[in-house]
Amino acid sequence: MKNQLDIGLLLLRLTFGGLMLINHGWGKMMNLFGDDPIQFADPIGIGETASLALAVFAEVVCAALVAIGFLTRWAIIPLIITMLVAIFIVHISDPFKKMEMAILYLIPYVVLWMNGAGKYSVDALLRKN
């Protein structure tokens, strides 16, 4: 049974870390480091560039760390915060369908935060050594 949990955690990490990186973070990173002027939401009032940089940190750096299972519980925290901001600030007045994607990412991130990366991760390899 433990092996099934570890495989499940691996699948969650690869899926939700990888998809966040590829489908959401990569484009934001190209926007942040590109030549075009930055136009990004400023949901917490720190400026468009800073908001975009925080989103890139969470959706690229932290998502990659989650996918490989390195510092997983720490890397999950910015992703959880990003999803909570998307749900309760960015899309709070939108129809539910607009916030659904953030909710669908939030749940596996919370599960991973609660359970850790599992034995098929860099975290587990480091614990052995």
Side-chain angles (χ1 to χ4, degrees), residues 1 3 7-9 18 34-35 38 58-59 68-69 72 75 78 82-83 86 91-92 100 107 110 115 118-119 126 129:
M1 187 70 172
N3 198 41
I7 292 171
L9 293 171
D35 294 330
I38 292 175
E59 296 179 11
I68 65 170
T72 306
T82 301
M83 295 305 99
H91 295 298
I92 193 66
E100 180 181 18
I107 301 304
V110 170
N115 288 283
K119 76 177 184 181
L126 294 175
N129 296 331

Side-chain angles (χ1 to χ4, degrees), residues 85-97:
V85 167
I87 294 164
F88 293 109
I89 298 175
V90 175
H91 295 298
I92 193 66
S93 61
D94 293 338
F96 179 78
K97 188 171 181 78

Side-chain angles (χ1 to χ4, degrees), residues 75-85 106 109-111 113:
I76 284 285
I77 293 170
L79 288 162
I80 289 173
I81 292 168
T82 301
M83 295 305 99
L84 290 171
V85 167
L106 175 64
Y109 291 155
V110 170
V111 169
W113 180 76

Side-chain angles (χ1 to χ4, degrees), residues 4 17 19 24 30 34 40 42 52 66 69 75 81 93 95 107-108 124-125:
Q4 290 173 327
L19 288 175
H24 301 281
M30 294 297 107
F40 192 74
D42 183 19
L52 179 58
V66 167
I81 292 168
S93 61
I107 301 304
L125 288 172

Side-chain angles (χ1 to χ4, degrees), residues 25-36 56:
W26 195 262
K28 288 180 180 83
M29 185 176 69
M30 294 297 107
N31 185 12
L32 180 63
F33 295 112
D35 294 330
D36 295 332
V56 167

